[in-house]
Amino acid sequence: MKSLIAAIFMISLTGCLLEGSLESTPGPKADLGKNDGGSNDDCISDELFFNRTVNTMITENCSGCHAATGVAGTSSFVLNFSGGYADYLERNLATSQSLAKQKNPDFENRSNLILKPLDIAKHDGGKLFDADSAEALILEEFVKRIDNPTECGDTLPQKPYLDGIKPLDNYQQLRRATLLLAGRLPTQEEITLAETSGVSDARYDALMTEDAFYGFLERGWNDILHTRGIEFPRSGIDPGTFPLRAWWNSLPNVTAAEKAAFATARYGTSRGLRQGPLKLISHVVRGDKPFTEILTANYAMVNYFSAKAYLGTKPAGPLDLATADFSAADALPFVDPTDPNEFIPVTFPGGGTSGVPADEDYYHAGLLSSSILWHRYTSTATNLNRARSRVFFKVFLDTNLEELAPRAGDANLIVNYTNPTKDFNQCSVCHTPMDPVAALLQNFTTAGYRRPYGGTWDPSYTPGLAGNLMPADRLKDPERWLGEQTIIDRRFPLAMVVNGYFLLTGRERLEATTDTSALYFTEQQRAYEEQRKEIIRIAKAFVDSNYNFKTILKEWLKSPLLTADISDTELSAERAVELGEVGLVNLLSPEDLSTKMMAIFGKSWQATNAKPVLSDFAAAYDGRDYADFYYLYDGIDSRELTTRLKNPNGVNGAVMNLLAEEMACQNTAFDFSKPADERLLFPNLDRLNTDESAIRNNLVHLFERILGQRLAVDDVEIDKAYALWSSIQQDGVSNMGQEGYPESMMLSCNTAPERALILAAIPEDKDSTYTVRAWQSVLVYLLSDYSFFFE
Amino acid sequence: MDRRDFMKLAALSGLAVVTPFAPELNAAEESDELYTTGNFFIAFVASGGWDPTNFCDPKGKASEVDQAYETAAIPKAGEIPYAPLNYSPTFFPKYNSELLVINGIDVIQNGHRACERYTWTGHLTSKQHPTFAAFYAAKKSEGRPLPLGYLSYGAYSNTGDLLPISRLRGTAALAKISKPHAFAADDELPFRSDFAQNAVKQALQERQASRLAALKLPKTKTAMGSMYSAQLSASKLKAIEAHLPEDLDSLSALKKQIAVTLAACKAGICISANISYGGFDTHANHETSQNARLNTYLEGVDYLLELAETLGIRERILLMMSSEFSRTPRLNAGNGKDHWAVGSAMFMGPGIRGNRVIGATDSGQKAQGFDPTTMSAIEDKTFRIRPQHIHKNLRKLTGIFDAPETVKFNLEDEDDIDIDFFS
């Protein structure tokens, strides 16, 4: 048995002492663990010993009964055999430690962890293995370690995880961070600084003050929350509390001017409502506020239009805008009320059907009180708020409720229970954490309105979180109690680190492998452990920075797991699995790719009618031209399409090919038409210049600008690119005027205004040296490259 | 670099069964690169949890299951009983001779995600396992880079990194993206000379091969290989246009999925697909909502088979119809039915012997025991039909059971038993 062989191998090594397994129990602001500072190369930490040997062994021997869904599911030794809990190994370690510490006075104070499986102390499952078996040896060693914790560093009897892996250089790290966070290329000054002293924390911090960063942040969080996918956001807020939720609908809509005003009001209101939750996140981050505020904020974010929807009042009866009162919205300090993108925080008044007394402020609890968020995850009367509870656990506590019981037993037994969600362990394993949180959200209706609860909630589950019951006097505002409890749960900072990882990589965190028979089990386990360590490290930094979310992004971008770039040697199959998640490999979304094109070319990809081809989500959502391309190139609608692709398919490939061709065509002559010192692609290069040295110098510039590759002028890649340029240019000149070789610069791919600009600068419209098309070809070559589409 | 060399590189990249590209293919090789002779696999997914008692596992009012029809009124099409509801009275008599129904499949638990995974991969816990559709497409592609090799319209669609997943929303832009080298206004007018285009293509192939051979990390290599394959296969997309129905724009969303999938299959650029139809999670107003969904679903299957006949590929389609789980026997307080772990699947196509029902549930909709030697449901047996048994049989039926990847994507078949469901 592979795992036991590994265990025996590890036991044979001299153990020395290590303090500091990870805290495992969720609950009030637990310590996230300690930094181990030792460096004894022969030392095996208790945590590693448990992960690689004890947990493997108990998974193979105990999972049949000692899972929450097993026959021993009500015993004190209940283990997790699924990845539903991100910290499942840490939980199992804590449970095993607890049993190991139980010394049985009837048997010479030996540990029950050993006595039970040997059936020396009574074990309902009988004797599982012999006293001299490898399994028993493992448990003996584990108990010794519990009694005398091993104190050694975090070093392992194996090579360092990233041994032989080179990181990106400082320039590459700077370029990546600048493009991802700020949507631009780094300046020369920034590059010089990075090359001399690395990418400083201050540089990361500065990037995250730029406006473009908040676009990145909101897009990323929408990929998690998907609130932009709400088709009619006004339907998510309660007309009983917000009677003017669709105030624009009463505007006159006959003349052209009226239609325009109507459309502006409708768009502004929908945008204000739909974007509110995402704007709350960016408001907290922009102000360097503790990120816990996303669950506790006593306000919501509104633009002027949605402020009218939330704060407007009217006399009883049908809506008449002449008598409607928008004074509360009008009094808000908007700089430009007509700007639908200006959002400010506002505390709503109570009253209406919300259940909040009219003389109190609305019971805001950040995202948790957002009807828009809960409207995105509509509920049903008989499963009230369970889906919302699932979303809550996944996003804010990194706990996947649906994965808590993958090894359930006999479903037929359900008929023996009148209340299976509470009493049948195959159901209760998920419902026990899920239903108390669903109960905390009980004041939100199936549509997401906040209305005092009056339904048929299952009374067998008391509102609470992680075993903590909500005090009765908080029945008035359970969502606020939930927020208060969540932010002191140990899992909250860890979950935010996982969300930050998703924002940067588009990937979920790794899950622990529970199948001990899996090929490369040990390697998969190590990959998980190494990433988990990094998640915990960053979570501590996050907490230490007073929960500043920027810390998470900064620490991830600096993390060796994401800066890893290239291997010294060819990797073995085992090593390839171990390093399977290492490196930042992110197929750029259409939004991010558009931003990158803006950074490189000063403009994005556009059709000849000037419409954006890879339009952003809002444009695609509104059904504007070319929305097709948005979806063909990995766009999501946050409704039916909610996930991005990790690797491109043939459809993406087709869009990539088209993009390369059209961007090359649209930008070559156009860039040459600008004054030499304003050009982005061909600075100070004459369009007709065919001198090899000048061409090579410009190729160096293009490799850096487009791909971020800094090459010497005699680099082999420059040789190849020059050969390409030269062969095409010479062929063009040789055949000029013949079929397929028109003299024109071929400007049909440009918009009319661009064509006019180009022809003003180059009125002859001649490419008789074929240099424009040679450069176009080189641009296609570069724009088809992996480094352009991935970061 | 020749094609063989590149295949080695592709294997190193982690996309072991996808060949990124084949340089300078001549016309005959281009044709060979399409999937023109093998069978297709289509997973017709009822997403949310369907209710088999309303079609293929009828119980009637005499049972312990809340039903809207009398037990005595249960009709039979050949050997297959069905509920007299929704589209069933049209569907079952029309297709019973080809149809295999498997009832009493125990998916053990009842969370959507885990059960989707179990139903469509055959493995309950593994997040790495590909769906059968993905595994099948990867193996049957035999190195052909196909732009829509595994086309998914949703539902569980993990690929195990064997090949990229393809999505196709909207077809209006297909004509343009499949012809990137020419102006939109005049697609016969290229941006540059043929010489320039070929020179770029050749230079790109060399650069891509060189980058793929570099000592990059596994994730990077996989992404690179996938991207190069995607770029190479893109030109084949245009083949789909000739097979799209003229009334495509007027079709329902489900029928559009079907029409595009079959056109892609006919064009030789698709091997397997997930057709996904949702809304089966009827926790409230079960009878009305569930029957409306089943009606559309079964009518959709009918449409698929008719259209496949028209396209001349009906005999090549292996169809699996299923859902992640089923619905509880009794109505809840909201007249809905909640999640239930014992469900059904239906199969049609090459290698499937029809007019049969295998497995059973009892009058309370609990899974009955199953005797794999006699292939009959027996009350006192504890053995249950589970997804891994079906997937093992599917792998054998389609000749991919012995693929090297089976070691990595094992099925946790603790019983180590072969059940011949299909023949």
Coordinates of all heavy atoms in Angstrom, one line a residue, chain B residues 299-358:
Chain B
E299 N -39.8 16.2 -26.0 CA -40.0 16.7 -27.4 C -38.6 17.1 -28.0 O -38.4 16.9 -29.2 CB -40.9 17.9 -27.3 CG -41.4 18.4 -28.7 CD -42.1 19.7 -28.7 OE1 -42.2 20.3 -27.6 OE2 -42.6 20.1 -29.7
G300 N -37.8 17.6 -27.2 CA -36.4 18.0 -27.6 C -35.7 16.7 -28.1 O -35.0 16.8 -29.1
V301 N -35.8 15.7 -27.3 CA -35.1 14.4 -27.8 C -35.7 14.0 -29.1 O -34.9 13.6 -30.0 CB -35.3 13.3 -26.7 CG1 -34.6 12.0 -27.2 CG2 -34.6 13.8 -25.4
D302 N -37.0 14.1 -29.2 CA -37.6 13.7 -30.5 C -37.1 14.5 -31.6 O -36.7 14.0 -32.7 CB -39.1 13.9 -30.3 CG -39.9 13.3 -31.4 OD1 -39.4 12.6 -32.3 OD2 -41.2 13.6 -31.5
Y303 N -37.0 15.8 -31.4 CA -36.5 16.8 -32.4 C -35.0 16.4 -32.8 O -34.7 16.4 -33.9 CB -36.5 18.2 -31.8 CG -35.9 19.2 -32.8 CD1 -36.6 19.7 -33.9 CD2 -34.6 19.7 -32.5 CE1 -36.0 20.6 -34.7 CE2 -34.0 20.7 -33.3 CZ -34.7 21.1 -34.4 OH -34.2 22.1 -35.2
L304 N -34.2 16.1 -31.8 CA -32.9 15.7 -32.0 C -32.8 14.5 -32.9 O -32.0 14.4 -33.9 CB -32.1 15.4 -30.7 CG -30.6 15.1 -30.8 CD1 -29.9 15.5 -29.5 CD2 -30.4 13.6 -30.9
L305 N -33.6 13.5 -32.6 CA -33.5 12.2 -33.4 C -34.0 12.5 -34.8 O -33.5 11.9 -35.8 CB -34.3 11.1 -32.7 CG -33.7 10.7 -31.4 CD1 -34.7 9.9 -30.5 CD2 -32.4 10.0 -31.6
E306 N -35.1 13.3 -34.9 CA -35.6 13.5 -36.3 C -34.6 14.3 -37.1 O -34.4 14.1 -38.3 CB -36.9 14.4 -36.2 CG -38.1 13.6 -35.6 CD -38.8 12.8 -36.6 OE1 -38.3 12.7 -37.7 OE2 -39.8 12.2 -36.2
L307 N -34.0 15.3 -36.5 CA -33.0 16.2 -37.2 C -31.8 15.4 -37.6 O -31.2 15.5 -38.7 CB -32.6 17.4 -36.4 CG -31.7 18.4 -37.0 CD1 -32.4 19.0 -38.3 CD2 -31.5 19.6 -36.1
A308 N -31.4 14.5 -36.7 CA -30.2 13.6 -37.0 C -30.5 12.7 -38.2 O -29.7 12.5 -39.0 CB -29.9 12.8 -35.8
E309 N -31.8 12.3 -38.2 CA -32.2 11.4 -39.4 C -32.0 12.3 -40.7 O -31.5 11.8 -41.7 CB -33.6 11.0 -39.2 CG -34.1 10.0 -40.2 CD -33.6 8.6 -39.9 OE1 -33.7 8.2 -38.7 OE2 -33.0 8.0 -40.8
T310 N -32.5 13.5 -40.6 CA -32.5 14.3 -41.8 C -31.0 14.6 -42.2 O -30.7 14.6 -43.4 CB -33.1 15.7 -41.5 OG1 -34.5 15.5 -41.0 CG2 -33.2 16.6 -42.7
L311 N -30.2 14.7 -41.2 CA -28.8 15.0 -41.5 C -28.0 13.7 -41.9 O -26.8 13.8 -42.3 CB -28.1 15.7 -40.4 CG -28.5 17.1 -40.1 CD1 -28.0 17.6 -38.7 CD2 -28.1 18.1 -41.2
G312 N -28.6 12.6 -41.7 CA -27.9 11.4 -42.1 C -26.9 10.9 -41.0 O -26.0 10.1 -41.3
I313 N -27.1 11.3 -39.8 CA -26.2 10.9 -38.7 C -26.9 10.2 -37.6 O -26.3 9.9 -36.5 CB -25.3 12.1 -38.2 CG1 -26.2 13.2 -37.7 CG2 -24.4 12.6 -39.3 CD1 -25.5 14.3 -37.0
R314 N -28.1 9.9 -37.8 CA -28.9 9.3 -36.7 C -28.2 8.0 -36.2 O -28.2 7.7 -35.0 CB -30.3 9.0 -37.2 CG -31.1 8.1 -36.3 CD -31.9 8.8 -35.3 NE -32.5 7.9 -34.4 CZ -33.7 7.3 -34.5 NH1 -34.4 7.7 -35.6 NH2 -34.2 6.5 -33.7
E315 N -27.7 7.2 -37.1 CA -27.2 5.9 -36.7 C -25.9 6.0 -35.9 O -25.4 5.1 -35.3 CB -26.9 5.0 -37.9 CG -28.2 4.8 -38.8 CD -29.3 4.3 -38.0 OE1 -29.1 3.4 -37.1 OE2 -30.5 4.8 -38.1
R316 N -25.3 7.2 -35.9 CA -24.0 7.4 -35.3 C -24.1 8.1 -33.9 O -23.1 8.4 -33.3 CB -23.1 8.3 -36.2 CG -22.7 7.7 -37.5 CD -22.1 8.7 -38.4 NE -20.9 9.2 -37.9 CZ -20.3 10.3 -38.3 NH1 -20.8 11.0 -39.4 NH2 -19.2 10.8 -37.8
I317 N -25.4 8.3 -33.4 CA -25.5 9.0 -32.2 C -25.9 8.1 -31.0 O -26.9 7.4 -31.0 CB -26.7 10.1 -32.3 CG1 -26.2 11.2 -33.3 CG2 -27.0 10.7 -31.0 CD1 -27.2 12.2 -33.6
L318 N -25.0 8.1 -30.1 CA -25.2 7.4 -28.8 C -25.7 8.5 -27.8 O -25.0 9.4 -27.5 CB -23.9 6.8 -28.3 CG -23.9 6.1 -26.9 CD1 -25.0 5.0 -26.9 CD2 -22.5 5.5 -26.6
L319 N -26.9 8.2 -27.3 CA -27.6 9.3 -26.5 C -27.8 8.8 -25.1 O -28.3 7.7 -24.9 CB -28.9 9.5 -27.2 CG -29.8 10.6 -26.7 CD1 -29.1 12.0 -26.7 CD2 -31.1 10.7 -27.4
M320 N -27.4 9.6 -24.1 CA -27.6 9.3 -22.7 C -28.5 10.4 -22.2 O -28.2 11.6 -22.3 CB -26.3 9.2 -21.9 CG -26.6 9.0 -20.4 SD -25.0 8.8 -19.5 CE -25.6 8.7 -17.8
M321 N -29.6 10.0 -21.6 CA -30.6 11.0 -21.0 C -30.6 10.7 -19.5 O -30.9 9.6 -19.1 CB -32.0 10.8 -21.6 CG -32.0 11.0 -23.1 SD -33.5 10.2 -23.9 CE -32.8 8.6 -24.4
S322 N -30.3 11.7 -18.8 CA -30.4 11.5 -17.3 C -30.4 12.9 -16.6 O -30.4 13.9 -17.2 CB -29.2 10.7 -16.8 OG -29.5 10.2 -15.5
S323 N -30.4 12.8 -15.3 CA -30.5 14.0 -14.4 C -29.7 13.6 -13.2 O -29.4 12.4 -12.9 CB -31.9 14.2 -14.1 OG -32.1 15.5 -13.4
E324 N -29.3 14.6 -12.4 CA -28.4 14.4 -11.3 C -29.1 13.5 -10.2 O -28.4 12.7 -9.5 CB -27.9 15.6 -10.7 CG -28.9 16.6 -10.1 CD -29.2 17.7 -11.1 OE1 -29.4 17.4 -12.3 OE2 -29.3 18.9 -10.6
F325 N -30.3 13.6 -10.1 CA -31.1 12.8 -9.1 C -32.5 12.9 -9.5 O -32.9 13.4 -10.5 CB -30.8 13.1 -7.7 CG -30.8 14.6 -7.3 CD1 -31.9 15.4 -7.6 CD2 -29.6 15.2 -6.8 CE1 -31.8 16.8 -7.3 CE2 -29.6 16.5 -6.5 CZ -30.7 17.3 -6.8
S326 N -33.4 12.4 -8.6 CA -34.8 12.5 -8.9 C -35.6 13.3 -7.8 O -34.9 14.1 -7.1 CB -35.4 11.1 -9.0 OG -35.4 10.5 -7.7
R327 N -36.9 13.2 -7.7 CA -37.6 13.9 -6.8 C -38.2 13.0 -5.7 O -38.5 11.8 -5.9 CB -38.8 14.7 -7.5 CG -38.5 15.4 -8.7 CD -37.4 16.4 -8.6 NE -37.5 17.4 -7.7 CZ -36.6 18.4 -7.5 NH1 -35.5 18.4 -8.2 NH2 -36.8 19.3 -6.6
T328 N -38.5 13.6 -4.5 CA -39.0 12.8 -3.4 C -40.4 12.2 -3.8 O -41.1 12.7 -4.6 CB -39.2 13.7 -2.2 OG1 -39.8 14.9 -2.6 CG2 -37.9 13.9 -1.5
P329 N -40.7 11.1 -3.1 CA -42.0 10.4 -3.4 C -43.2 11.3 -3.1 O -44.2 11.3 -3.8 CB -42.0 9.2 -2.6 CG -40.5 8.9 -2.2 CD -39.9 10.3 -2.2
R330 N -43.1 12.0 -2.0 CA -44.2 12.8 -1.5 C -44.1 14.3 -1.8 O -43.0 14.8 -1.8 CB -44.4 12.6 0.0 CG -44.3 11.2 0.5 CD -45.3 10.2 -0.1 NE -46.7 10.6 0.2 CZ -47.7 9.7 0.3 NH1 -47.5 8.4 0.1 NH2 -48.9 10.1 0.5
L331 N -45.2 14.9 -2.0 CA -45.3 16.3 -2.2 C -45.0 17.0 -0.8 O -45.4 16.6 0.2 CB -46.6 16.8 -2.7 CG -47.0 16.4 -4.1 CD1 -48.5 16.6 -4.4 CD2 -46.1 17.2 -5.1
N332 N -44.3 18.1 -0.9 CA -44.1 18.9 0.3 C -45.2 19.9 0.5 O -46.2 19.9 -0.3 CB -42.7 19.6 0.3 CG -42.6 20.6 -0.9 OD1 -43.6 21.1 -1.3 ND2 -41.4 20.7 -1.4
A333 N -45.0 20.7 1.5 CA -46.1 21.7 1.9 C -46.4 22.7 0.7 O -47.5 23.2 0.6 CB -45.8 22.4 3.1
G334 N -45.5 22.9 -0.1 CA -45.7 23.8 -1.2 C -46.0 23.1 -2.5 O -45.8 23.6 -3.6
N335 N -46.5 21.9 -2.4 CA -46.8 21.0 -3.6 C -45.6 20.8 -4.5 O -45.7 20.7 -5.7 CB -48.0 21.6 -4.4 CG -49.3 21.4 -3.7 OD1 -49.5 20.3 -3.1 ND2 -50.2 22.4 -3.7
G336 N -44.5 20.9 -3.8 CA -43.3 20.6 -4.6 C -42.7 19.2 -4.2 O -43.2 18.6 -3.3
K337 N -41.7 18.8 -4.9 CA -41.0 17.6 -4.5 C -39.5 17.9 -4.4 O -38.9 18.6 -5.2 CB -41.2 16.5 -5.5 CG -42.6 15.9 -5.4 CD -42.7 14.6 -6.3 CE -44.1 13.9 -6.1 NZ -44.2 12.6 -6.8
D338 N -38.9 17.4 -3.3 CA -37.5 17.8 -3.0 C -36.5 16.8 -3.7 O -36.9 16.0 -4.5 CB -37.3 18.0 -1.5 CG -38.2 19.1 -1.0 OD1 -38.4 20.1 -1.7 OD2 -38.9 18.9 0.1
H339 N -35.3 16.8 -3.2 CA -34.3 15.9 -3.8 C -34.4 14.5 -3.4 O -34.5 14.2 -2.2 CB -32.9 16.4 -3.5 CG -32.6 17.8 -4.0 ND1 -31.5 18.5 -3.7 CD2 -33.4 18.7 -4.7 CE1 -31.6 19.8 -4.2 NE2 -32.7 19.9 -4.8
W340 N -34.2 13.5 -4.3 CA -34.2 12.1 -4.0 C -33.1 11.4 -4.7 O -32.9 11.6 -5.9 CB -35.6 11.6 -4.4 CG -35.9 10.2 -4.0 CD1 -35.9 9.1 -4.8 CD2 -36.2 9.7 -2.7 NE1 -36.3 7.9 -4.1 CE2 -36.4 8.3 -2.8 CE3 -36.3 10.3 -1.4 CZ2 -36.8 7.5 -1.7 CZ3 -36.6 9.5 -0.3 CH2 -36.9 8.1 -0.5
A341 N -32.4 10.5 -4.0 CA -31.2 10.0 -4.5 C -31.3 8.9 -5.5 O -30.3 8.5 -6.2 CB -30.3 9.5 -3.4
V342 N -32.5 8.3 -5.7 CA -32.7 7.2 -6.6 C -33.4 7.6 -7.9 O -34.5 8.1 -7.9 CB -33.5 6.1 -5.9 CG1 -33.6 4.9 -6.8 CG2 -32.9 5.7 -4.6
G343 N -32.7 7.5 -9.0 CA -33.2 8.0 -10.2 C -33.0 7.1 -11.4 O -32.9 5.8 -11.2
S344 N -33.1 7.6 -12.6 CA -33.1 6.8 -13.8 C -32.2 7.4 -14.9 O -31.8 8.6 -14.8 CB -34.6 6.8 -14.4 OG -35.4 6.3 -13.4
A345 N -32.0 6.6 -15.9 CA -31.3 7.1 -17.1 C -31.9 6.3 -18.3 O -32.4 5.2 -18.1 CB -29.8 6.8 -17.0
M346 N -31.8 6.9 -19.5 CA -32.3 6.3 -20.7 C -31.2 6.4 -21.7 O -30.4 7.4 -21.8 CB -33.6 6.9 -21.2 CG -34.7 6.9 -20.2 SD -36.3 7.3 -20.9 CE -36.1 9.0 -21.4
F347 N -31.1 5.3 -22.5 CA -30.0 5.3 -23.6 C -30.6 4.9 -24.9 O -31.6 4.1 -25.0 CB -29.0 4.3 -23.2 CG -28.2 4.6 -22.0 CD1 -28.6 4.3 -20.7 CD2 -27.0 5.3 -22.1 CE1 -27.9 4.7 -19.6 CE2 -26.2 5.7 -21.0 CZ -26.7 5.3 -19.7
M348 N -30.0 5.4 -26.0 CA -30.4 5.0 -27.3 C -29.1 5.1 -28.2 O -28.2 5.9 -27.9 CB -31.4 5.9 -27.9 CG -32.8 5.9 -27.3 SD -33.9 7.1 -28.0 CE -34.2 6.3 -29.6
G349 N -29.1 4.3 -29.2 CA -28.0 4.5 -30.1 C -27.2 3.2 -30.4 O -27.6 2.1 -30.0
P350 N -26.1 3.3 -31.1 CA -25.3 2.2 -31.5 C -24.8 1.3 -30.3 O -24.3 1.9 -29.3 CB -24.1 2.8 -32.2 CG -24.2 4.2 -32.1 CD -25.5 4.6 -31.5
G351 N -25.1 0.0 -30.4 CA -24.7 -0.9 -29.3 C -25.7 -1.0 -28.2 O -25.6 -1.8 -27.3
I352 N -26.8 -0.2 -28.3 CA -27.9 -0.3 -27.2 C -29.0 -1.2 -27.7 O -29.6 -0.9 -28.8 CB -28.4 1.1 -26.9 CG1 -27.3 2.1 -26.6 CG2 -29.5 1.0 -25.8 CD1 -26.6 1.9 -25.3
R353 N -29.3 -2.2 -26.9 CA -30.4 -3.1 -27.3 C -31.7 -2.5 -26.6 O -31.7 -2.3 -25.4 CB -30.2 -4.5 -26.8 CG -31.3 -5.5 -27.2 CD -30.8 -6.9 -27.2 NE -30.5 -7.3 -25.9 CZ -31.3 -7.9 -25.0 NH1 -32.6 -8.0 -25.3 NH2 -30.9 -8.3 -23.8
G354 N -32.6 -2.1 -27.4 CA -33.8 -1.4 -26.8 C -34.9 -2.2 -26.3 O -34.8 -3.4 -26.1
N355 N -36.0 -1.6 -26.1 CA -37.2 -2.2 -25.6 C -37.0 -2.9 -24.3 O -37.6 -4.0 -24.1 CB -37.8 -3.2 -26.7 CG -39.3 -3.5 -26.4 OD1 -40.0 -2.7 -25.8 ND2 -39.7 -4.6 -26.9
R356 N -36.2 -2.3 -23.4 CA -35.9 -3.0 -22.1 C -36.0 -2.0 -21.0 O -35.6 -0.8 -21.2 CB -34.6 -3.6 -22.2 CG -34.5 -4.8 -23.1 CD -33.1 -5.5 -23.0 NE -32.0 -4.6 -23.3 CZ -30.8 -4.6 -22.8 NH1 -30.5 -5.5 -21.9 NH2 -29.9 -3.7 -23.2
V357 N -36.3 -2.5 -19.8 CA -36.2 -1.7 -18.6 C -35.3 -2.6 -17.6 O -35.6 -3.7 -17.4 CB -37.5 -1.5 -17.9 CG1 -37.3 -0.7 -16.6 CG2 -38.4 -0.7 -18.8
I358 N -34.2 -2.0 -17.1 CA -33.3 -2.7 -16.2 C -33.4 -1.9 -14.9 O -33.4 -0.7 -14.8 CB -31.9 -2.7 -16.8 CG1 -31.8 -3.5 -18.0 CG2 -30.9 -3.2 -15.7 CD1 -30.4 -3.5 -18.7

